């Protein structure tokens, strides 16, 4: 069985001024430890004081440099087979990019299979590439970064994500990796009954940022996490949360950086970085883990998550 390893990393404000710094080297080391076949990347940023016409060139330079130092590629292929642009996307109004990188010796981007999505559909860009991974048909992989401030927007983005992967009456083979900036609605069976895989983390919180993460009307009361984004993706089994589906032990992906390092974090330990697979890919799920090496903990305020799939077990769907 030849598995394909996909990983996700929110790289914490990865910009031109981070190249060759200790944090850059930690990111390169962590990616090397993971050795992904496909890597979804978020939070590549540019200097927004510069003309917006220069943003794409600056972001591409950073992504291509990271690809070169990790033995990966980020260059897409036009429909005519010629080299295309860097696999990245922003929302055109902000200089924050998502991206996809891959190992060119193990997976191949399909010619004409790159599509970036921006505003008005996504607050951050949504990067998608179709890959030949050795399955019966190409698989669409997406890098996503959820809106950090608006639960309604995250829910709307989830509908748009599903539209990218839908067929008439079914779902295309695909995976969405990213920083979802909200908790999952996936549930698991426990001795006491069905429970959320991610327990409620905000029950005892008392700060101004609660309105970004709680269901409206529950602040100061039940303090329930807003999981509507994930509910949309999971409805009728259109997608599954890979970690919950495989019932791996719960691990946080954020909260390991103390306040005062990076951006202040009022939330504590949470799992907001995830992998979702569409229904045809569910039988192919092999493993899921969170990468917690010293380099990964140094590299970003988000820990990488890793998912392995067996391409031979991806099913078709009418």
């Amino acid at each position: 069985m030849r598995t394909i390893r996909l990983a996700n990393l929110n790289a914490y404000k990865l910009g031109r001024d981070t190249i060759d710094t200790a944090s850059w080297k930690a990111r390169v080391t962590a990616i090397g430890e993971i050795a992904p076949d496909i890597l979804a990347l978020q939070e590549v940023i540019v200097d927004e004081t510069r003309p917006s016409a220069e943003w794409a060139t600056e972001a591409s330079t950073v992504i291509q440099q990271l690809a070169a130092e990790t033995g990966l590629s980020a260059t897409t292929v036009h429909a005519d087979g010629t080299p295309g642009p860097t696999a990245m996307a922003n929302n055109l109004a902000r200089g924050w990019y998502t991206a996809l990188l891959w190992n060119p010796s193990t997976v191949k981007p399909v010619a004409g299979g790159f599509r970036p999505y921006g505003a008005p559909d996504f607050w951050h860009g949504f990067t998608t590439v179709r890959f030949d991974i050795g399955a019966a048909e190409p698989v669409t992989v997406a890098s996503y970064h959820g809106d950090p401030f608006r639960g309604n927007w995250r829910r709307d983005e989830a509908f748009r994500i599903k539209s990218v992967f839908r067929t008439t009456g079914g779902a295309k083979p695909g995976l969405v990796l990213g920083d979802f900036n909200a908790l999952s609605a996936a549930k698991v069976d426990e001795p006491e009954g069905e429970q959320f895989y991610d327990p409620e983390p905000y029950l005892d919180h008392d700060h101004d940022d609660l309105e970004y993460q709680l269901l409206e009307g529950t602040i100061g009361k039940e303090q329930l996490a807003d999981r509507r984004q994930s509910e949309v993706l999971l409805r009728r089994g259109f997608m599954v949360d890979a970690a919950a589906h495989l019932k791996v032990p719960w691990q946080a992906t954020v909260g390991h950086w103390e306040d005062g390092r990076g951006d202040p974090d009022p939330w504590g330990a949470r799992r907001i970085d995830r992998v979702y697979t569409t229904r045809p890919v569910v039988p192919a799920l092999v493993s899921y883990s969170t990468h917690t090496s010293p380099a990964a903990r140094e590299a970003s305020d988000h820990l990488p998550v890793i998912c392995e799939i067996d391409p031979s077990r991806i099913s078709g769907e009418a």
Side-chain angles (χ1 to χ4, degrees), residues 257-265:
W257 277 13
E258 67 279 3
D259 286 357
R261 181 183 182 191
D263 297 323
D265 179 7

Side-chain angles (χ1 to χ4, degrees), residues 298-313:
E298 176 68 21
S300 174
D301 59 342
H302 292 249
L303 293 171
V305 293
I306 304 165
C307 175
E308 290 187 314
I309 62 173
D310 176 359
S312 68
R313 290 161 55 187

